[in-house]
Amino acid sequence: MLRLMAVIICFCLLYKPGICQDINQPNILGEPWNDVDGNFINAHGAGILHFGDVYYMFGEIKKGITRLVPGQNWEDYRVPAGGISCYSSRDLIKWKFEGVALAPKAGDTLSDLDTSRIIERPKVIYNEHTKKFIMWMHIDKEDYNYARTGVAVSDKPEGPYKYLGSFQPNGQQSRDMTIFKDEDGKAYLIYASENNNTMHVCQLSEDYLSPSNSFTRILINQRREAPAIFKHGGKYYLITSLCSGWSPNAALYSVADSLTGKWENRGNPCVGAGADTTFESQSSFVLPVNGDADSYIFLADRWNKTDLPDSRYLWLPLRISEGNVVIKNDLHFGNGYYHWKTNSDLVIDSLEVLPFSILQYSVNIKNSDTRIKGYSYIKFYDISDRELMSYRTDPITSPTFVQSGIYTEAPPFTKYAKIGIVTDSLNAGSLYADSLKVQLNIDRPTITQVPHCNLDEYMRPFWNSDTIYNETVLIYSESGKTAMGKLLFKPDHIISVKSYDLSREYKKGIDYTIQTNTIIKSTNSVVPYRTDASFDHGDLAWYNLQSQWIVVTYTHHDKWTGPLPVFKGDKLPLLMAKLKSKLPVRIIGYGMSITRGQDVSSYVNRSPFMPTYLDLFVRQLGKNYHHDKIELVNAGLPGALVSWGASNAEKYINPVHPDLVIIDFGMNDFWRYTPDEFKGYIQTIIKKVKKENPKTEFLLISNMDFDPSYILDTDKYKSFYTSNMKGYNKVLQQMETTGVINLDMTTLSDSIYSRKKAKDCISNPLHPNDYLARWYAQSLTAMLSR
Ligand code: GAL
């Protein structure tokens, strides 16, 4: 298991950074918060209407210069009234600007909506009888002595709203306010009155357009404002701020059995550092999420009084625990937060994904209760919204945030993916998610380049060609001795010795000399080399040799005496028939990192940009058969185990309907699976594919060997690992039959390593370099064409 971890970590280190998507959610850091068009969300003192499956957010538009109103005995900072904005969202994450729901007026100083006035704290509710959307708001003049409430109405949630006028309900001052619609359809206006000393609750008329003629005084002489109200378990909860202008203060919550009944103060709902200033914010709204009784979001404004348009927002989870309201600032590292409903799931991001692309997400999740098991998941969908595949993480039952995530490959026909959180517990409680990060298309280099090498030359079989092109050699010095390296054959004539990226040519006699098949670095030469001491010699020590080889082109006439790839096309009659008659052919490579192309030069986006072994093979096969309809699908998932391959074969292979499946597992399996287990998984893959695609044929690759020095002799598992690797080769060879052939890269790579050395041929302990990858490509080609 430890070994497996080591491999996984190694693969992780090799991921190229992809696009990183952060969820953009108001947060404790009070960072700028943008809508889907990238504009700063301008919705202060906001309220949210949940209508259908859309959330509509309404808020004050603050723009222009902030000025201090002269002649006031308090910090009366203000900006011109900008009207009321409307934003919509289905997921509370991505917000779309719907426009100005209630526009201000310029130069009409008698109008309530004139830019010289105050238009604050809009709240919208829907009237089922009149089918109208009703907006209530605080209307004032710049000295805040007008103290009125205004009403507007619209047929559509997003507006535009028709302004109906303002008044003081029952002749009472009304400043900071909110609206509450109860379950019985009755609606109430709750407002700071009596010079902000006392709040009033006043029921509205049935059409919600005017106040009734009675009201209840609550929180008497307590100087509360910024009311945010919600109902939970039959009780009403009211969160308010103290009256200190734009400066934050401690929140208070009060509880009542009836809106017009007795309100009991319960103290500050905020706990932890910053609680005495409501985490530097002031309440504006409490939003119940997903209809879950235990899931609320506390919305607040973090005012910037001297630059009001730059005021920020704070959304925090609000929980009710045994009747007590708790708002915690525990998202300090976060960039997002979600509340989630028991026994259901919540999508937290949805994004376009390419088929067979490799992606990874991580998200922090935690549970409100340790009896709740939480998972994060990713689901892939096609263009018709059909779910193709889903992966979920191991369960998490932690009351503090822990990271969860999945690294995987998108199945064929993927159009988009959804990432979310879910629990299967029946217990009530919440699951929280935060800090979602997604990396897309991890495997795809951002720049794709035309190879700097001649691919026709590169595909001439090493075993029967008199010219060897760009054979890689790692010039290597052992125990302080002269640095040197071996060529596979004894050269008659050296055509060139170049740097790996082909940019630089080295000079015979000056940079190197040749003795039989050994190339020796001259003293003071610029030829790159490595000393044995420069490698970490620990067990499973990782290294990366990219670009450190030299490449040698030479002629020779000695013969290859190692294993020879032989033509096995007669065992794949269906594929052969299609190739010969030039019917379209589809080949899928199903495996792991080596299959995907790790770490040949195109994969790591370096010169000479040699394509992957699969690409080289398919290109050459096309040339040999004069066939231009051979399609290749690369479904290699770096890090994949053969067990993953067996579990998912029907999802990744079957929809492709391939003529040939190249199965290439092993490099992540020898740590744990015996040859028999390995065989079982390979058989499962074949069985699953044949069930739906009886005409599909298979080519099984026996894995190249890892660097023999990777696993030290002192490692007590060494013989287990090596015998597994050799055993896989044996079982794959035994599986050969009509429709199934084997390429033995194990014996071939061992035989090359024994003539040169492994580090001449591999980029790191587990992956071939451009040279060994060409042995793969040339051998595959030779097996299928004469
Ligand atoms: C706050 C109030 C805000 C705004 C401000 C003006 O206390 O909640 O909505 O009116 O005073 O100073």
Side-chain angles (χ1 to χ4, degrees):
M1 186 61 199
L2 189 92
R3 302 309 151 122
L4 178 77
M5 287 292 291
V7 175
I8 289 174
I9 289 164
C10 293
F11 280 113
C12 290
L13 293 173
L14 295 170
Y15 299 155
K16 283 193 237 75
I19 306 157
C20 177
Q21 301 196 331
D22 281 354
I23 285 183
N24 193 347
Q25 195 66 346
N27 60 59
I28 190 68
L29 301 172
E31 281 169 4
W33 181 38
N34 290 345
D35 65 14
V36 289
D37 297 318
N39 299 317
F40 185 78
I41 291 182
N42 203 336
H44 307 274
I48 293 179
L49 166 74
H50 192 191
F51 186 74
D53 55 0
V54 180
Y55 293 94
Y56 293 92
M57 175 164 68
F58 300 88
E60 305 156 18
I61 299 176
K62 294 210 181 294
K63 57 181 183 199
I65 307 290
T66 305
R67 68 185 182 94
L68 187 59
V69 177
Q72 300 290 309
N73 61 358
W74 61 287
E75 289 184 320
D76 186 6
Y77 285 102
R78 66 174 306 275
V79 278
I84 304 300
S85 59
C86 176
Y87 293 81
S88 68
S89 173
R90 284 171 195 276
D91 55 11
L92 298 173
I93 302 162
K94 296 182 184 113
W95 290 92
K96 180 172 168 276
F97 180 55
E98 292 288 349
V100 178
L102 183 67
K105 289 185 176 177
D108 184 0
T109 48
L110 293 179
S111 163
D112 281 351
L113 303 182
D114 188 65
T115 51
S116 64
R117 298 291 182 94
I118 306 287
I119 310 173
E120 287 180 341
R121 298 189 175 271
K123 303 288 174 277
V124 173
I125 51 174
Y126 176 65
N127 189 302
E128 265 86 12
H129 301 296
T130 62
K131 309 270 183 263
K132 304 260 187 223
F133 298 87
I134 322 287
M135 178 189 289
W136 285 76
M137 73 213 89
H138 173 195
I139 295 288
D140 226 313
K141 292 188 178 169
E142 65 174 25
D143 61 2
Y144 283 84
N145 273 329
Y146 196 47
R148 290 187 176 215
T149 185
V151 197
V153 64
S154 171
D155 293 328
K156 290 186 294 173
E158 69 275 19
Y161 282 77
K162 186 172 174 257
Y163 187 65
L164 301 178
S166 71
F167 45 85
Q168 291 195 331
N170 301 302
Q172 301 293 314
Q173 281 183 335
S174 171
R175 289 199 181 94
D176 277 11
M177 44 65 67
T178 195
I179 292 285
F180 181 72
K181 185 174 150 184
D182 211 341
E183 288 146 323
D184 60 6
K186 289 183 180 142
Y188 300 81
L189 175 68
I190 297 122
Y191 51 99
S193 195
E194 304 176 28
N195 283 324
N196 287 346
N197 281 314
T198 296
M199 284 211 162
H200 290 181
V201 179
C202 176
Q203 196 185 322
L204 298 180
S205 57
E206 275 186 6
D207 59 9
Y208 303 161
L209 292 176
S210 48
S212 61
N213 54 15
S214 67
F215 60 91
T216 309
R217 298 175 71 222
I218 66 167
L219 312 186
I220 296 166
N221 289 328
Q222 291 180 33
R223 291 193 66 72
R224 308 304 304 176
E225 55 178 11
I229 187 166
F230 62 97
K231 189 174 182 180
H232 173 78
K235 288 193 190 293
Y236 300 86
Y237 292 80
L238 179 63
I239 299 177
T240 53
S241 76
L242 193 67
C243 201
S244 58
W246 300 110
S247 304
N249 52 55
L252 167 78
Y253 79 100
S254 314
V255 184
D257 291 328
S258 127
L259 280 166
T260 51
K262 191 175 168 316
W263 286 83
E264 180 197 330
N265 285 348
R266 291 278 187 82
N268 189 346
C270 300
V271 296
D276 52 347
T277 59
T278 318
F279 314 112
E280 291 170 52
S281 73
Q282 185 183 29
S283 44
S284 70
F285 197 71
V286 172
L287 176 71
V289 186
N290 288 341
D292 179 357
D294 201 15
S295 293
Y296 294 88
I297 302 174
F298 173 70
L299 280 69
D301 295 286
R302 185 169 274 186
W303 301 118
N304 179 347
K305 64 183 166 194
T306 55
D307 184 7
L308 283 166
D310 193 39
S311 297
R312 304 293 170 89
Y313 312 93
L314 183 66
W315 290 27
L316 288 175
L318 178 153
R319 288 190 57 214
I320 302 143
S321 178
E322 290 165 9
N324 300 313
V325 176
V326 179
I327 302 171
K328 264 198 211 164
N329 157 16
D330 52 3
L331 301 172
H332 32 270
F333 58 87
N335 58 2
Y337 116 84
Y338 303 92
H339 240 166
W340 165 92
K341 177 174 184 281
T342 304
N343 247 329
S344 156
D345 71 87
L346 176 69
V347 176
I348 55 182
D349 202 5
S350 130
L351 29 108
E352 284 208 18
V353 172
L354 295 170
F356 298 107
S357 65
I358 295 166
L359 73 163
Q360 171 169 272
Y361 76 84
S362 70
V363 65
N364 295 323
I365 60 178
K366 68 170 187 177
N367 318 77
S368 62
D369 187 306
T370 47
R371 291 169 308 163
I372 296 171
K373 270 200 238 147
Y375 311 81
S376 70
Y377 66 78
I378 183 159
K379 293 180 182 171
F380 296 95
Y381 297 85
D382 68 8
I383 198 161
S384 329
D385 304 316
R386 261 190 304 262
E387 187 184 309
L388 300 171
M389 177 121 210
S390 84
Y391 288 100
R392 76 160 42 177
T393 59
D394 289 337
I396 283 171
T397 53
S398 166
T400 53
F401 276 116
V402 285
Q403 204 179 57
S404 79
I406 285 170
Y407 156 80
T408 195
E409 180 180 12
F413 302 109
T414 298
K415 178 76 180 133
Y416 66 97
K418 286 181 183 173
I419 297 167
I421 49 175
V422 67
T423 179
D424 53 16
S425 310
L426 292 170
N427 300 316
S430 298
L431 188 65
Y432 302 77
D434 188 30
S435 302
L436 174 69
K437 285 199 165 53
V438 186
Q439 276 182 280
L440 291 178
N441 305 326
I442 300 175
D443 58 309
R444 272 160 222 256
T446 42
I447 310 165
T448 39
Q449 288 265 10
V450 178
H452 292 175
C453 47
N454 181 323
L455 301 185
D456 293 330
E457 290 173 355
Y458 265 40
M459 285 302 288
R460 290 207 197 148
F462 292 125
W463 58 90
N464 65 9
S465 162
D466 55 8
T467 309
I468 303 294
Y469 295 93
N470 291 342
E471 178 178 324
T472 46
V473 181
L474 183 76
I475 300 295
Y476 189 69
S477 155
E478 275 187 279
S479 320
K481 288 196 230 131
T482 308
M484 56 182 78
K486 273 188 183 163
L487 295 170
L488 194 69
F489 299 102
K490 186 175 158 304
D492 292 332
H493 172 59
I494 300 282
I495 298 171
S496 68
V497 177
K498 291 185 179 172
S499 60
Y500 172 74
D501 65 2
L502 308 180
S503 69
R504 176 162 198 170
E505 185 155 349
Y506 303 110
K507 293 194 183 67
K508 194 170 173 184
I510 298 175
D511 293 314
Y512 65 89
T513 51
I514 299 277
Q515 263 175 34
T516 57
N517 69 333
T518 304
I519 176 160
I520 305 159
K521 178 186 174 295
S522 310
T523 343
N524 300 330
S525 126
V526 290
V527 166
Y529 74 107
R530 289 287 295 262
T531 63
D532 51 355
S534 71
F535 286 90
D536 182 353
H537 280 278
D539 196 25
L540 309 179
W542 191 259
Y543 55 80
N544 208 332
L545 292 175
Q546 199 58 246
S547 279
Q548 296 171 39
W549 311 275
I550 54 165
V551 294
V552 184
T553 301
Y554 61 98
T555 56
H556 72 100
H557 65 267
D558 52 339
K559 294 269 171 286
W560 172 246
T561 52
L564 271 183
V566 291
F567 179 75
K568 292 183 179 173
D570 35 18
K571 282 206 167 128
L572 303 185
L574 303 175
L575 176 71
M576 283 300 124
K578 278 197 163 186
L579 283 172
K580 281 179 195 151
S581 54
K582 300 189 181 25
L583 285 169
V585 166
R586 202 176 279 166
I587 299 177
I588 184 169
Y590 190 52
M592 32 84 202
S593 49
I594 299 175
T595 329
R596 190 51 83 146
Q598 274 187 7
D599 284 296
V600 299
S601 51
S602 65
Y603 188 91
V604 295
N605 203 26
R606 287 189 185 210
S607 178
F609 304 102
M610 191 195 83
T612 68
Y613 85 75
L614 282 176
D615 289 308
L616 285 175
F617 153 64
V618 168
R619 174 184 175 279
Q620 195 61 38
L621 196 66
K623 287 203 155 200
N624 294 359
Y625 282 90
H626 307 287
H627 195 310
D628 59 4
K629 290 188 206 72
I630 308 180
E631 193 190 325
L632 170 69
V633 173
N634 193 328
L637 171 62
L641 300 172
V642 68
S643 47
W644 170 86
S647 309
N648 301 300
E650 67 277 27
K651 302 271 188 176
Y652 286 95
I653 304 177
N654 289 354
V656 173
H657 303 301
D659 298 290
L660 177 70
V661 185
I662 297 178
I663 303 183
D664 181 18
F665 287 97
M667 202 52 112
N668 304 306
D669 300 306
F670 66 85
W671 311 98
R672 52 155 75 180
Y673 295 131
T674 64
D676 275 346
E677 291 167 328
F678 186 80
K679 183 180 179 183
Y681 288 123
I682 299 283
Q683 282 172 329
T684 305
I685 296 174
I686 296 176
K687 211 162 81 194
K688 283 185 168 182
V689 175
K690 289 198 93 161
K691 199 169 162 204
E692 270 184 61
N693 301 277
K695 291 192 169 153
T696 296
E697 293 169 325
F698 300 84
L699 193 159
L700 317 179
I701 297 186
S702 301
N703 216 130
M704 64 175 254
D705 219 336
F706 45 83
D707 184 351
S709 71
Y710 184 44
I711 297 161
L712 292 188
D713 292 342
T714 48
D715 187 325
K716 62 175 176 181
Y717 296 106
K718 180 160 185 160
S719 64
F720 175 69
Y721 299 151
T722 37
S723 66
N724 282 345
M725 204 61 152
K726 303 278 180 290
Y728 298 169
N729 183 24
K730 211 180 271 167
V731 295
L732 294 183
Q733 286 183 24
Q734 287 162 0
M735 286 171 76
E736 276 204 350
T737 173
T738 303
V740 182
I741 59 173
N742 164 251
L743 165 62
D744 173 7
M745 282 304 298
T746 316
T747 316
L748 184 59
S749 58
D750 282 345
S751 130
I752 301 168
Y753 299 166
S754 70
R755 288 167 164 83
K756 288 162 66 70
K757 63 181 175 302
K759 289 183 177 70
D760 290 326
C761 318
I762 56 187
S763 329
N764 52 51
L766 307 179
H767 300 138
N769 69 2
D770 284 11
Y771 174 68
L772 188 55
R774 282 155 70 194
W775 276 98
Y776 270 81
Q778 293 172 5
S779 306
L780 287 170
T781 312
M783 289 172 76
L784 297 180
S785 55
R786 291 192 206 263

